[in-house]
Amino acid sequence: MVYIEQPDGSEHQFLLTDPRQGTNPKDPNSIGAGQDPAKVKRYASYIRFAYQVADKAVKKIADAAGPDSNVIVVSDHGFAPFHTSVSMTNILKNAGIDTTKLAIRTSGPAVNIYVNLQNREQGGTIDLATYKALVAQITDAVKNAVDPNPKFNYSLDSGRLFNVVETRPLQCNAGTGLCTSKTIGQDFGDVFALMAPGYNFDGIQSPGVARLGDPAFNAATTTVSMPNFYGAHGHDPELPVMSATFIAAGPDIRKTTIRRMRNLDVAPTIMQILGVRPHQVDGEVLREILR
């Protein structure tokens, strides 16, 4: 097993493919017609080079393994350009929520929001009644969060920032605050959300830079601002832009094209090739690719 990092690192820094992205992170006028076309072209060449490097590495591996080996190439995610950095703390504060009662954990476009619940968190201070009301308030704030600047069409989905919002179930045998579901695991926040492509929690500059058409940046209240890099992943995996590469070749692989697969299916498929019966693993054997 080999991991080739080049495409991921390059796309984070150089995926400058959206007219809503500023070619100069310090200049809000550098979007749209104000973009620097030379920089856009140069960054596109960096992305192309990254894939060429990865392709050469895969060829070396395949050549070294020889014609009797099965080789599988798979990406762990897709990629999307992003044009706006987002402050989750300010979204909640602006909705009147006391963020001192919460732990906010963001990663890329994903956020887990934990309430400091008594008898669950060490030093928890929030009682059950307050917990239920606070979770409902947080859920509403996240679901209703919108891009305040529709003029420049930053968001393409009715202005909403989040296209996935999941709340921890309130009732179960385990007790309030400990319930799980098909979409909320035990370590998830009480509210979990994913932002739409184009938005990311990372990349907020210091000092912050307001986007074109936005009010002056205020660290205490501003929710959206210009980021200082260009590519992101971690959005809803069902979105086509988050789909990724899957290539397989070798004596056990037949020539075909599949429209859709999940990364969960790679491990049981490899087990099948090795003659190991998949047992208690997630995913399904990709039988349509096997001889």
Side-chain angles (χ1 to χ4, degrees):
M1 294 181 67
V2 177
Y3 171 61
I4 302 171
E5 193 273 344
Q6 182 76 26
D8 183 285
S10 293
E11 288 195 90
H12 275 301
Q13 297 302 319
F14 305 123
L15 195 62
L16 180 54
T17 58
D18 190 314
R20 295 168 293 179
Q21 294 173 291
T23 49
N24 180 354
K26 299 293 185 182
D27 181 6
N29 292 295
S30 63
I31 68 170
Q35 283 186 329
D36 177 357
K39 184 173 183 177
V40 173
K41 184 177 179 180
R42 184 171 71 253
Y43 275 24
S45 74
Y46 297 162
I47 300 296
R48 186 167 56 253
F49 178 74
Y51 278 93
Q52 290 170 342
V53 169
D55 187 65
K56 290 177 181 178
V58 169
K59 185 178 186 306
K60 285 185 178 181
I61 293 168
D63 288 346
D68 295 330
S69 298
N70 297 293
V71 177
I72 294 176
V73 181
V74 60
S75 302
D76 50 345
H77 50 70
F79 244 96
F82 90 99
H83 48 69
T84 300
S85 288
V86 179
S87 169
M88 189 72 246
T89 298
N90 286 351
I91 287 176
L92 297 176
K93 283 183 176 179
N94 292 348
I97 296 170
D98 184 355
T99 57
T100 65
K101 298 177 180 179
L102 312 174
I104 302 169
R105 300 290 180 260
T106 61
S107 177
V111 61
N112 283 282
I113 303 170
Y114 303 84
V115 175
N116 192 24
L117 178 62
Q118 290 177 354
N119 301 320
R120 186 187 69 178
E121 310 296 339
Q122 186 175 8
T125 59
I126 306 302
D127 59 54
L128 283 179
T130 305
Y131 167 83
K132 293 178 180 179
L134 192 51
V135 168
Q137 190 179 9
I138 295 167
T139 301
D140 286 344
V142 175
K143 285 184 175 180
N144 294 322
V146 296
D147 191 318
N149 183 348
K151 181 178 179 181
F152 291 94
N153 202 28
Y154 283 109
S155 176
L156 298 179
D157 185 18
S158 303
R160 298 199 179 277
L161 296 180
F162 296 90
N163 59 350
V164 174
V165 182
E166 300 285 349
T167 304
R168 184 177 297 280
L170 294 178
Q171 301 293 334
C172 68
N173 292 334
T176 302
L178 300 175
C179 301
T180 60
S181 68
K182 289 181 66 176
T183 53
I184 293 289
Q186 66 176 19
D187 295 328
F188 277 56
D190 297 298
V191 177
F192 167 77
L194 295 172
M195 281 190 291
Y199 297 89
N200 199 293
F201 290 115
D202 299 329
I204 297 177
Q205 302 185 65
S206 182
V209 179
R211 302 174 311 171
L212 185 64
D214 286 348
F217 185 90
N218 184 321
T221 59
T222 296
T223 58
V224 293
S225 59
M226 290 190 68
N228 58 5
F229 64 99
Y230 293 112
H233 53 82
H235 299 281
D236 181 359
E238 295 297 326
L239 293 173
V241 72
M242 287 295 103
S243 291
T245 300
F246 178 78
I247 305 169
D252 292 301
I253 310 298
R254 68 185 185 90
K255 187 174 182 179
T256 186
T257 300
I258 54 175
R259 297 293 302 170
R260 186 86 170 176
M261 54 80 63
R262 302 175 301 164
N263 280 3
L264 289 172
D265 301 332
V266 175
T269 301
I270 293 173
M271 294 170 71
Q272 181 78 14
I273 292 172
L274 295 175
V276 179
R277 182 183 178 187
H279 180 62
Q280 292 186 332
V281 296
D282 293 329
E284 302 290 339
V285 176
L286 295 170
R287 300 187 185 279
E288 65 268 40
I289 76 167
L290 299 179
R291 293 188 186 278

